[in-house]
Amino acid sequence: MCRENVRVGERTSFGVGGRARWFAEPESIDELVRCVRACRERDLPFFMLGGGTNILFRDESYPGVVIATRRLKRKSVDSVRGQLTFETGVPLSFAIRTAIRHGLSGLETFVGIPGSVGGAVYGNAGGCGIGLGERVDAVEVLQADGQLEWLAASDIDWSYRSSGLGDRVVTRARLSLAGDRVADVRARTQLVMDRKRATQPLSARSAGCVFRNPTGASAGQLIEAAGLKGVREGGAAVSDVHANFIVNEEAATSADVSDLIDRVVRTIRERNAVDLVREIVTPSH
């Protein structure tokens, strides 16, 4: 289940970064639990890799275990109650398609957000001013003591781009949605997707929005107003389509991306006295 010296940067949407000392890809929740428990018992650092869409691995090797969840894709549907339950590795796009097929509304605004259900829940991914936590009924997590536990959404400390789950590992999520006509749900989803295609570089190698929006402001608008669209560091560039995206245009390195992020942060701090906060995650060593 565990392999050594595996390239993990290429498993991210950025396509940059080095290797992991160990790489695990459990095929069941039980395997995931055993893997995480083994890491904790041995005091090994580990990092949960979902869809890899908001991750920036460093060029240097990650010294611990990267645990990929992409094989954890089981689902269950209770269309009468409007509930969909997904394992952590289910792509968010698949969850949205499942909701459409069953005439369940509530995920339309999240279309176009890549990644896994587990990662989206953990990071409280947002779309059109709505956080995914608002659609969650309960989350199953692996606690620090190695036990699985279902947490009601009301017992989770949701905030902007955060679930507050800390060192707990998301294993399953149950979403609660409203019944609607399939055609209406599909049409609303398509409208959101069309708008995103027109305003975001969805086909580029990026990690989505790099920064959280400051209170009362738009990170993208601040970066664009500072004249930073198109600015480059090595093979990385601020997108000409949406300034809160950094794209890997020409075989960028992780250092290129990090240097460009730092340059944007410095510029906005000097120009607007605002400290931009990263939305993308860099696994710590």
Side-chain angles (χ1 to χ4, degrees):
M1 186 176 69
C2 209
R3 291 182 284 149
E4 290 187 66
N5 195 33
V6 173
R7 291 185 180 276
V8 287
E10 63 189 25
R11 296 171 183 266
T12 70
S13 56
F14 253 141
V16 302
R19 298 174 178 267
R21 184 178 181 186
W22 291 288
F23 180 80
E25 203 165 36
E27 297 188 359
S28 69
I29 297 299
D30 286 344
E31 282 190 11
L32 171 62
V33 169
R34 290 197 296 272
C35 184
V36 173
R37 285 174 177 168
C39 290
R40 286 173 169 161
E41 288 168 0
R42 293 164 175 76
D43 200 26
L44 281 172
F46 67 91
F47 181 79
M48 302 301 303
L49 179 65
T53 53
N54 71 329
I55 308 300
L56 177 63
F57 281 106
R58 293 186 172 94
D59 294 316
E60 302 80 22
S61 292
Y62 179 73
V65 185
V66 171
I67 305 174
T69 65
R70 68 175 184 170
R71 297 186 184 275
L72 306 177
K73 293 183 177 180
R74 293 180 178 84
K75 68 176 177 66
S76 64
V77 178
D78 185 343
S79 55
V80 174
R81 295 184 180 180
Q83 292 182 338
L84 303 175
T85 303
F86 300 102
E87 288 187 342
T88 184
V90 170
L92 184 58
S93 59
F94 177 83
I96 294 169
R97 292 196 300 271
T98 301
I100 293 172
R101 284 197 302 271
H102 290 275
L104 296 174
S105 175
L107 299 184
E108 297 93 317
T109 59
F110 304 102
V111 70
I113 298 176
S116 65
V117 168
V121 168
Y122 187 87
N124 194 19
C128 304
I130 299 171
L132 187 58
E134 297 179 49
R135 302 293 185 254
V136 171
D137 177 69
V139 180
E140 185 188 57
V141 298
L142 179 61
Q143 299 280 17
D145 63 4
Q147 300 302 308
L148 288 171
E149 179 182 357
W150 278 96
L151 302 176
S154 57
D155 293 329
I156 296 173
D157 189 20
W158 306 102
S159 60
Y160 177 63
R161 299 297 184 269
S162 173
S163 63
L165 288 172
D167 61 0
R168 290 172 283 194
V169 175
V170 175
T171 53
R172 296 181 180 89
R174 185 166 64 239
L175 308 180
S176 184
L177 308 174
D180 202 345
R181 294 176 64 246
V182 170
D184 291 342
V185 180
R186 181 176 289 114
R188 288 194 297 271
T189 304
Q190 190 61 52
L191 283 173
V192 176
M193 192 71 237
D194 290 345
R195 184 165 62 248
K196 288 188 176 181
R197 284 197 180 104
T199 59
Q200 298 179 7
L202 298 184
S203 61
R205 289 183 294 172
S206 79
C209 287
V210 176
F211 302 105
R212 300 180 182 184
N213 286 323
T215 302
S218 161
Q221 290 175 2
L222 291 175
I223 297 167
E224 181 173 358
L228 293 173
K229 268 190 171 182
V231 168
R232 307 178 61 89
E233 290 284 349
V238 176
S239 170
D240 286 323
V241 179
H242 191 306
N244 200 13
F245 285 67
I246 288 176
V247 296
N248 176 4
E249 289 192 336
E250 297 179 10
T253 64
S254 181
D256 290 340
V257 177
S258 292
D259 289 347
L260 186 53
I261 289 173
D262 291 343
R263 181 175 175 181
V264 171
V265 169
R266 287 196 305 271
T267 301
I268 300 304
R269 181 185 297 127
E270 294 167 359
R271 189 176 189 274
N272 302 95
V274 170
D275 286 317
L276 292 177
V277 177
R278 291 190 186 197
E279 191 169 318
I280 62 173
V281 177
T282 298
S284 58
H285 283 51

